[in-house]
Amino acid sequence: MNRRTRLWLVAVGGAGLAALLVAACLDLPGFGGDRHPYGDRAVQASLSRRTANTVASVNFDQRAFDTLGEMTILFAAVLGCVVLLRQTHDEHRARPEPADVAPPVRRYALTVLPVALLTGLYVIAHGQLSPGGGFQGGIVAATALHLLYLGADYRALERVRPLGLYEVGDALAASAYLVTGVAGLLAGTAFLASTLLPHGTFNTLSSGGTVPLLNAAIGMEVACAVVVLLARFLDQAVEITETNAERESRS
């Protein structure tokens, strides 16, 4: 296929896509109006599955397959970061010096750390009931651990952050999301359908079918992924340094 033909194919395909996009935008309900067809259907579906938080219902039931794609993107990004920031043959690991932290900063960080960690776990556990969920709670829980880096030093953070376990946890959480979807297929329902489990009583922790399970898997995956991601960047900033020979060759 020559260049001229490829350009024509791209032009025709782009024109068709643009026409469809314009047609879809023209049919959108007016901004600020009282017609919200997607929102009305999402709320109705959420209530029918006993899920109090409509956003969680959209993420882990109505569009659970899309959420699988988002989780895969995060997993691939962390994997790429681990590969790119690994220690190479011309680098060595130097133990960081003890940090000199101001007493008020130390007291504040160590006081807030358990509160922030519990808040993250609470947001994950109640994702199907109230605003929040696995993505938000996972970020809060992961960053809460790093208050130890601010309030103490990097060595203290390393003692409560066994990186290998977090890498395994990231993989297990991603696998749990997939296994839940496959279990639905084996049970005769749709992939990632919330009908795999009973919907339970509305506005309770056990409500929503598989929504709590998928939400918990996402929370664990996001928390472990962020911990691994930050660990690689902190390693480069704090511990991993170039050898003298490499430094001289650069100069």
Side-chain angles (χ1 to χ4, degrees):
M1 183 181 298
N2 57 37
R3 179 182 177 85
R4 184 182 181 87
T5 304
R6 290 198 300 268
L7 290 176
W8 271 107
L9 287 176
V10 171
V12 172
L17 181 61
L20 292 174
L21 181 61
V22 170
C25 290
L26 291 176
D27 196 42
L28 286 174
F31 181 77
D34 57 356
R35 178 172 172 260
H36 307 284
Y38 182 82
D40 294 340
R41 293 171 184 173
V43 172
Q44 183 179 3
S46 174
L47 295 177
S48 67
R49 305 290 178 86
R50 309 289 197 279
T51 306
N53 183 9
T54 301
V55 176
S57 176
V58 172
N59 288 337
F60 303 113
D61 183 9
Q62 303 169 39
R63 295 178 61 248
F65 189 75
D66 292 348
T67 302
L68 173 62
E70 296 169 4
M71 179 191 68
T72 304
I73 291 172
L74 176 60
F75 185 84
V78 174
L79 181 61
C81 179
V82 170
V83 173
L84 290 174
L85 297 182
R86 69 188 186 278
Q87 184 177 351
T88 60
H89 67 279
D90 55 4
E91 296 175 331
H92 72 280
R93 188 175 295 271
R95 296 298 298 170
E97 297 294 330
D100 185 15
V101 182
V105 175
R106 183 185 299 272
R107 287 194 297 267
Y108 177 79
L110 297 182
T111 301
V112 173
L113 191 155
V115 177
L117 183 58
L118 289 176
T119 300
L121 297 178
Y122 178 90
V123 171
I124 295 173
H126 292 77
Q128 75 275 14
L129 304 180
S130 58
F135 286 104
Q136 299 87 341
I139 293 292
V140 174
T143 53
L145 290 177
H146 291 79
L147 287 172
L148 192 61
Y149 173 60
L150 300 177
D153 56 21
Y154 190 66
R155 294 182 297 179
L157 174 62
E158 284 187 317
R159 286 195 291 268
V160 300
R161 189 205 61 189
L163 201 54
L165 293 181
Y166 284 96
E167 291 173 346
V168 172
D170 189 8
L172 288 178
S175 300
Y177 197 100
L178 283 171
V179 168
T180 304
V182 173
L185 292 177
L186 296 178
T189 63
F191 182 68
L192 292 172
S194 66
T195 54
L196 176 64
L197 296 176
H199 292 151
T201 303
F202 183 76
N203 209 25
T204 61
L205 287 176
S206 59
S207 61
T210 57
V211 171
L213 296 181
L214 297 178
N215 178 66
I218 287 294
M220 180 178 176
E221 199 275 335
V222 170
C224 292
V226 172
V227 169
V228 173
L229 190 66
L230 292 178
R232 295 301 177 182
F233 282 106
L234 285 174
D235 279 351
Q236 290 287 328
V238 177
E239 287 193 290
I240 296 179
T241 59
E242 294 178 335
T243 60
N244 292 330
E246 179 67 16
R247 196 177 299 110
E248 292 174 359
S249 65
R250 288 181 183 274
S251 60

mmCIF file of all heavy atoms in Angstrom, residues 186-205:
data_model
loop_
_atom_site.group_PDB
_atom_site.id
_atom_site.type_symbol
_atom_site.label_atom_id
_atom_site.label_comp_id
_atom_site.label_asym_id
_atom_site.label_seq_id
_atom_site.Cartn_x
_atom_site.Cartn_y
_atom_site.Cartn_z
ATOM 1 N N LEU A 186 -18.066 -18.882 34.709
ATOM 2 C CA LEU A 186 -18.235 -20.289 35.072
ATOM 3 C C LEU A 186 -19.574 -20.542 35.747
ATOM 4 O O LEU A 186 -20.129 -21.643 35.659
ATOM 5 C CB LEU A 186 -17.098 -20.724 36.001
ATOM 6 C CG LEU A 186 -15.682 -20.700 35.390
ATOM 7 C CD1 LEU A 186 -14.647 -21.101 36.430
ATOM 8 C CD2 LEU A 186 -15.609 -21.615 34.177
ATOM 9 N N ALA A 187 -20.103 -19.503 36.432
ATOM 10 C CA ALA A 187 -21.394 -19.654 37.104
ATOM 11 C C ALA A 187 -22.569 -19.423 36.166
ATOM 12 O O ALA A 187 -23.723 -19.537 36.580
ATOM 13 C CB ALA A 187 -21.476 -18.696 38.282
ATOM 14 N N GLY A 188 -22.283 -19.085 34.908
ATOM 15 C CA GLY A 188 -23.361 -18.904 33.937
ATOM 16 C C GLY A 188 -23.858 -17.482 33.809
ATOM 17 O O GLY A 188 -24.877 -17.248 33.146
ATOM 18 N N THR A 189 -23.169 -16.501 34.416
ATOM 19 C CA THR A 189 -23.555 -15.101 34.272
ATOM 20 C C THR A 189 -22.548 -14.403 33.368
ATOM 21 O O THR A 189 -21.666 -15.036 32.799
ATOM 22 C CB THR A 189 -23.603 -14.401 35.646
ATOM 23 O OG1 THR A 189 -22.286 -14.398 36.222
ATOM 24 C CG2 THR A 189 -24.546 -15.130 36.585
ATOM 25 N N ALA A 190 -22.668 -13.089 33.237
ATOM 26 C CA ALA A 190 -21.755 -12.330 32.399
ATOM 27 C C ALA A 190 -20.433 -12.098 33.122
ATOM 28 O O ALA A 190 -20.341 -12.197 34.347
ATOM 29 C CB ALA A 190 -22.391 -10.999 32.010
ATOM 30 N N PHE A 191 -19.398 -11.767 32.349
ATOM 31 C CA PHE A 191 -18.076 -11.471 32.904
ATOM 32 C C PHE A 191 -18.165 -10.240 33.783
ATOM 33 O O PHE A 191 -18.638 -9.185 33.358
ATOM 34 C CB PHE A 191 -17.086 -11.250 31.765
ATOM 35 C CG PHE A 191 -15.683 -10.987 32.211
ATOM 36 C CD1 PHE A 191 -14.928 -11.968 32.830
ATOM 37 C CD2 PHE A 191 -15.105 -9.742 32.007
ATOM 38 C CE1 PHE A 191 -13.624 -11.730 33.232
ATOM 39 C CE2 PHE A 191 -13.806 -9.478 32.398
ATOM 40 C CZ PHE A 191 -13.064 -10.487 33.010
ATOM 41 N N LEU A 192 -17.732 -10.355 35.033
ATOM 42 C CA LEU A 192 -17.726 -9.278 36.026
ATOM 43 C C LEU A 192 -19.127 -8.798 36.396
ATOM 44 O O LEU A 192 -19.304 -7.690 36.890
ATOM 45 C CB LEU A 192 -16.894 -8.080 35.533
ATOM 46 C CG LEU A 192 -15.390 -8.320 35.410
ATOM 47 C CD1 LEU A 192 -14.709 -7.133 34.731
ATOM 48 C CD2 LEU A 192 -14.759 -8.571 36.770
ATOM 49 N N ALA A 193 -20.134 -9.629 36.189
ATOM 50 C CA ALA A 193 -21.498 -9.256 36.564
ATOM 51 C C ALA A 193 -21.669 -9.377 38.080
ATOM 52 O O ALA A 193 -21.173 -10.330 38.705
ATOM 53 C CB ALA A 193 -22.520 -10.144 35.863
ATOM 54 N N SER A 194 -22.389 -8.428 38.667
ATOM 55 C CA SER A 194 -22.575 -8.441 40.121
ATOM 56 C C SER A 194 -23.572 -9.493 40.574
ATOM 57 O O SER A 194 -23.757 -9.693 41.776
ATOM 58 C CB SER A 194 -23.050 -7.063 40.597
ATOM 59 O OG SER A 194 -24.341 -6.783 40.095
ATOM 60 N N THR A 195 -24.206 -10.160 39.625
ATOM 61 C CA THR A 195 -25.190 -11.194 39.978
ATOM 62 C C THR A 195 -24.537 -12.487 40.434
ATOM 63 O O THR A 195 -25.235 -13.445 40.776
ATOM 64 C CB THR A 195 -26.102 -11.474 38.777
ATOM 65 O OG1 THR A 195 -25.285 -11.786 37.625
ATOM 66 C CG2 THR A 195 -26.962 -10.259 38.454
ATOM 67 N N LEU A 196 -23.215 -12.535 40.445
ATOM 68 C CA LEU A 196 -22.531 -13.742 40.907
ATOM 69 C C LEU A 196 -22.833 -14.015 42.371
ATOM 70 O O LEU A 196 -22.956 -15.172 42.787
ATOM 71 C CB LEU A 196 -21.017 -13.591 40.694
ATOM 72 C CG LEU A 196 -20.123 -14.720 41.218
ATOM 73 C CD1 LEU A 196 -20.422 -16.020 40.482
ATOM 74 C CD2 LEU A 196 -18.653 -14.338 41.083
ATOM 75 N N LEU A 197 -22.964 -12.962 43.177
ATOM 76 C CA LEU A 197 -23.252 -13.086 44.606
ATOM 77 C C LEU A 197 -24.597 -12.423 44.911
ATOM 78 O O LEU A 197 -25.064 -11.567 44.155
ATOM 79 C CB LEU A 197 -22.150 -12.418 45.432
ATOM 80 C CG LEU A 197 -20.747 -13.031 45.322
ATOM 81 C CD1 LEU A 197 -19.762 -12.196 46.129
ATOM 82 C CD2 LEU A 197 -20.738 -14.475 45.782
ATOM 83 N N PRO A 198 -25.229 -12.813 46.035
ATOM 84 C CA PRO A 198 -26.482 -12.138 46.429
ATOM 85 C C PRO A 198 -26.258 -10.644 46.624
ATOM 86 O O PRO A 198 -25.199 -10.219 47.092
ATOM 87 C CB PRO A 198 -26.851 -12.831 47.746
ATOM 88 C CG PRO A 198 -26.136 -14.145 47.714
ATOM 89 C CD PRO A 198 -24.875 -13.911 46.945
ATOM 90 N N HIS A 199 -27.268 -9.856 46.286
ATOM 91 C CA HIS A 199 -27.141 -8.402 46.395
ATOM 92 C C HIS A 199 -27.232 -7.915 47.832
ATOM 93 O O HIS A 199 -26.822 -6.792 48.124
ATOM 94 C CB HIS A 199 -28.208 -7.720 45.537
ATOM 95 C CG HIS A 199 -27.986 -7.918 44.083
ATOM 96 N ND1 HIS A 199 -29.009 -7.935 43.150
ATOM 97 C CD2 HIS A 199 -26.843 -8.127 43.364
ATOM 98 C CE1 HIS A 199 -28.523 -8.138 41.949
ATOM 99 N NE2 HIS A 199 -27.209 -8.259 42.050
ATOM 100 N N GLY A 200 -27.754 -8.725 48.729
ATOM 101 C CA GLY A 200 -27.769 -8.367 50.141
ATOM 102 C C GLY A 200 -28.754 -7.269 50.475
ATOM 103 O O GLY A 200 -29.633 -6.912 49.690
ATOM 104 N N THR A 201 -28.580 -6.700 51.646
ATOM 105 C CA THR A 201 -29.455 -5.640 52.143
ATOM 106 C C THR A 201 -28.887 -4.287 51.773
ATOM 107 O O THR A 201 -27.693 -4.033 51.946
ATOM 108 C CB THR A 201 -29.605 -5.739 53.670
ATOM 109 O OG1 THR A 201 -30.097 -7.042 53.999
ATOM 110 C CG2 THR A 201 -30.579 -4.695 54.189
ATOM 111 N N PHE A 202 -29.740 -3.422 51.274
ATOM 112 C CA PHE A 202 -29.314 -2.104 50.822
ATOM 113 C C PHE A 202 -28.617 -1.330 51.941
ATOM 114 O O PHE A 202 -29.030 -1.365 53.099
ATOM 115 C CB PHE A 202 -30.526 -1.317 50.325
ATOM 116 C CG PHE A 202 -30.197 0.040 49.772
ATOM 117 C CD1 PHE A 202 -29.635 0.183 48.511
ATOM 118 C CD2 PHE A 202 -30.423 1.185 50.520
ATOM 119 C CE1 PHE A 202 -29.321 1.429 47.992
ATOM 120 C CE2 PHE A 202 -30.114 2.437 50.024
ATOM 121 C CZ PHE A 202 -29.561 2.555 48.747
ATOM 122 N N ASN A 203 -27.525 -0.632 51.592
ATOM 123 C CA ASN A 203 -26.776 0.237 52.496
ATOM 124 C C ASN A 203 -26.078 -0.520 53.627
ATOM 125 O O ASN A 203 -25.898 -0.002 54.725
ATOM 126 C CB ASN A 203 -27.685 1.318 53.086
ATOM 127 C CG ASN A 203 -26.912 2.587 53.408
ATOM 128 O OD1 ASN A 203 -25.870 2.859 52.825
ATOM 129 N ND2 ASN A 203 -27.426 3.374 54.341
ATOM 130 N N THR A 204 -25.650 -1.732 53.355
ATOM 131 C CA THR A 204 -24.828 -2.494 54.294
ATOM 132 C C THR A 204 -23.531 -2.888 53.594
ATOM 133 O O THR A 204 -23.436 -2.873 52.364
ATOM 134 C CB THR A 204 -25.551 -3.756 54.793
ATOM 135 O OG1 THR A 204 -25.845 -4.613 53.669
ATOM 136 C CG2 THR A 204 -26.848 -3.401 55.500
ATOM 137 N N LEU A 205 -22.521 -3.275 54.380
ATOM 138 C CA LEU A 205 -21.220 -3.608 53.801
ATOM 139 C C LEU A 205 -21.287 -4.806 52.857
ATOM 140 O O LEU A 205 -20.468 -4.930 51.951
ATOM 141 C CB LEU A 205 -20.211 -3.887 54.921
ATOM 142 C CG LEU A 205 -19.706 -2.677 55.709
ATOM 143 C CD1 LEU A 205 -18.789 -3.136 56.833
ATOM 144 C CD2 LEU A 205 -18.978 -1.699 54.798
#
